[in-house]
Amino acid sequence: MCADYKVTAWEVSGIIDYDKLITEFGTSRLTEELKERLRLKTKSKKLHVFFRRNFIYSHRDFEKILDNMENDNFYVYTGRGPSGEMHIGHLISFLTAKWLQDEFGCNVYIMMSDDEKFCVKNNLSLEQVDKQSEKDFKEIAAIGFDPDKTFFFKDTEYIKHLYKIALQFAKKTNFSNARAIFGFTNETNLGHSFYPNIQNAPTAFEKNKFCLIPAGIDQDPYWRIQRDVAQKIGYRKATAIHNKLLPPIQGMDGKMSSSDKKTAIYLTDTPELVKNKINKFAFSGGRPTLEEHKKLGGIPEIDVAYNWLYILLEEDDKKIKEIYTKYKLGEMTSGEIKKILVEKLNSFLEKHRQNKEKNKNLIEKYKYTGKLAKEMWKL
Amino acid sequence: MCADYKVTAWEVSGIIDYDKLITEFGTSRLTEELKERLRLKTKSKKLHVFFRRNFIYSHRDFEKILDNMENDNFYVYTGRGPSGEMHIGHLISFLTAKWLQDEFGCNVYIMMSDDEKFCVKNNLSLEQVDKQSEKDFKEIAAIGFDPDKTFFFKDTEYIKHLYKIALQFAKKTNFSNARAIFGFTNETNLGHSFYPNIQNAPTAFEKNKFCLIPAGIDQDPYWRIQRDVAQKIGYRKATAIHNKLLPPIQGMDGKMSSSDKKTAIYLTDTPELVKNKINKFAFSGGRPTLEEHKKLGGIPEIDVAYNWLYILLEEDDKKIKEIYTKYKLGEMTSGEIKKILVEKLNSFLEKHRQNKEKNKNLIEKYKYTGKLAKEMWKL
């Protein structure tokens, strides 16, 4: 792996060469042809901005889904590790899952990996992790999934239904394999080293369908081990679509971090705090002086405000192109882009908070009483 | 460890130097003084033959139990790995647990480690292990535990109640520790390496009491890791009493094996089969000719028939002494001892089978509906 950046399931740092990751991880590029096939199968006949802007850019076996997508041939599985407050980067895979559910009516399974976070984070107790899990469910419920087609579960609570599948994966994976894929060492604790099997269990929830996992490219090692083992134990290989990582506020390298509050916008950040963070910390592609900026133009590619608009917040293709051009030509300043971003972010967060309040009562359905949840507990 | 024999949680072979194991494992000898203290606290004022004959011979922290035993300060935990048919050697710890329950009224928890056996035995499916588990529960129910003070559970079924405790142990044990204690290698699969944490979970079932584990000395590595970690995570160190291993039919070295049917008497062996196995295979301490035998006397110490009578089947101290003396003096032949053994074994097995039939209806209570079982499922 290139020395300048590092992407594992545990750590992301440096400026990421996403094209190179496709080669290193052995995934496939999500080509324009595949995206067009996907678009034609949607109800809306329009791709989500993540696809249109190549933020979701890589896949494993997505053709298999496309081949028979209209016949309810897949379900979606994604999850959340409840180790700290959620920021906007954490919503990416849920937003993708929601879009897939809206367009194709598929079931969505959302794992809260409280077991993993307890084992990986030295200072967290089971009680603390559980408290965070419940908080996070509220944020995820705000996305507005179909309460009869969506199942939220915490690993420690749903373990009875995960354990037997996890054991089957575990039996076929030895410490050498896990070390090669996850970088485990002799200091890795036994809870941490068992966890990948739990994370793989939901890939066998619906045996007659494909499991499609929308997740960050950094999570691919899990699916690699799943795909190595699945067919040996009578399950289908998981399929995946990989998104890039939302860059942190300070610059295009690395990943937002729950532990460094300045690197991300949290779902609970106030409008004032959002404004301050962006104005103070957002890495700019503008020039040192206004004069230079007008003469040379800005560099949108490295401008975090521009990138956030591009990836997440300005879905209008015309408008984003206009911003790009004006900024590039020096007709728009870095401050102006930041202003647009702050407004967009705050309205996004305001809507999120309203939805969170509105959907509070759905959590019980997602977890226990909705149609899918009931079926999953009955198994 | 001495090169002539090997005792780990996975493998027992060679002639075992039990005294040396106390030093190697760092356990304590169960002294005459401790046994007398135990005897004085029993209802019957009589020790079980396993204690009287030093078959249970080693312990960890048993003094702590003795200090306050009359005040219900402990519970008993033992278990069974359902990988093949049960033989008489498998009953040792259940017989010990039953005696403790009769004398002290303590709760008894019996784990069926279906998860472990599935992970450790390459050729076993979850379905096969489950079938064996249910068969084994019938054998264990024959022991006649108190249905309101005994809880039988399968790991995969009761996992929700084991998992959180197991995670706490797992978080504090890394692969180096586990390798040192269990001899895990890079080829050990991730289910096998996680399992010790599951086996340790019941040591925290009753937080205000001591957990006392009657088990073979070969299982001690588990309790060692439990005792290393327990106090760090707010639980008590497990206490244990260790029995020696019932020698296999072929001779005093090693352990009975579920995979070699000639080495053991199975609970389902017919009287005819028992007779044949003993007469054909039981290692004898007799002399090559009757003349020599009468002249030199037999060697009871290496005579398997004598040892089985001593350990398990002839509880009458006078009678066993008489057999020993007569055999030693050459007044009793090897064939005569075998005849006594066959009779005792067959009457033991006959009684076991009757109890198995009689207690069939108790399994539901042990598992789900007895007083203790109900409490354990409510937790």
Side-chain angles (χ1 to χ4, degrees), chain B residues 139 301 370:
Chain B
E139 305 291 358
E301 289 75 11

PDB file of all heavy atoms in Angstrom, chain B residues 139 301 370:
ATOM      1  N   GLU B 139     -28.929 -37.545  29.039  1.00  0.00           N
ATOM      2  CA  GLU B 139     -27.991 -38.281  29.896  1.00  0.00           C
ATOM      3  C   GLU B 139     -27.746 -37.507  31.190  1.00  0.00           C
ATOM      4  O   GLU B 139     -27.677 -38.088  32.278  1.00  0.00           O
ATOM      5  CB  GLU B 139     -26.650 -38.503  29.183  1.00  0.00           C
ATOM      6  CG  GLU B 139     -26.712 -39.190  27.824  1.00  0.00           C
ATOM      7  CD  GLU B 139     -27.127 -40.658  27.890  1.00  0.00           C
ATOM      8  OE1 GLU B 139     -27.334 -41.193  28.998  1.00  0.00           O
ATOM      9  OE2 GLU B 139     -27.265 -41.272  26.804  1.00  0.00           O
ATOM     10  N   GLU B 301      -2.384 -50.868  41.114  1.00  0.00           N
ATOM     11  CA  GLU B 301      -2.144 -49.482  40.672  1.00  0.00           C
ATOM     12  C   GLU B 301      -2.254 -49.311  39.151  1.00  0.00           C
ATOM     13  O   GLU B 301      -2.621 -48.232  38.681  1.00  0.00           O
ATOM     14  CB  GLU B 301      -0.750 -49.009  41.122  1.00  0.00           C
ATOM     15  CG  GLU B 301      -0.621 -48.772  42.618  1.00  0.00           C
ATOM     16  CD  GLU B 301      -0.528 -50.056  43.456  1.00  0.00           C
ATOM     17  OE1 GLU B 301      -0.361 -51.156  42.863  1.00  0.00           O
ATOM     18  OE2 GLU B 301      -0.660 -49.969  44.689  1.00  0.00           O
ATOM     19  N   GLY B 370     -38.324 -24.598  35.245  1.00  0.00           N
ATOM     20  CA  GLY B 370     -38.010 -24.708  36.665  1.00  0.00           C
ATOM     21  C   GLY B 370     -37.789 -23.318  37.257  1.00  0.00           C
ATOM     22  O   GLY B 370     -37.636 -22.344  36.517  1.00  0.00           O
TER      23      GLY B 370
END
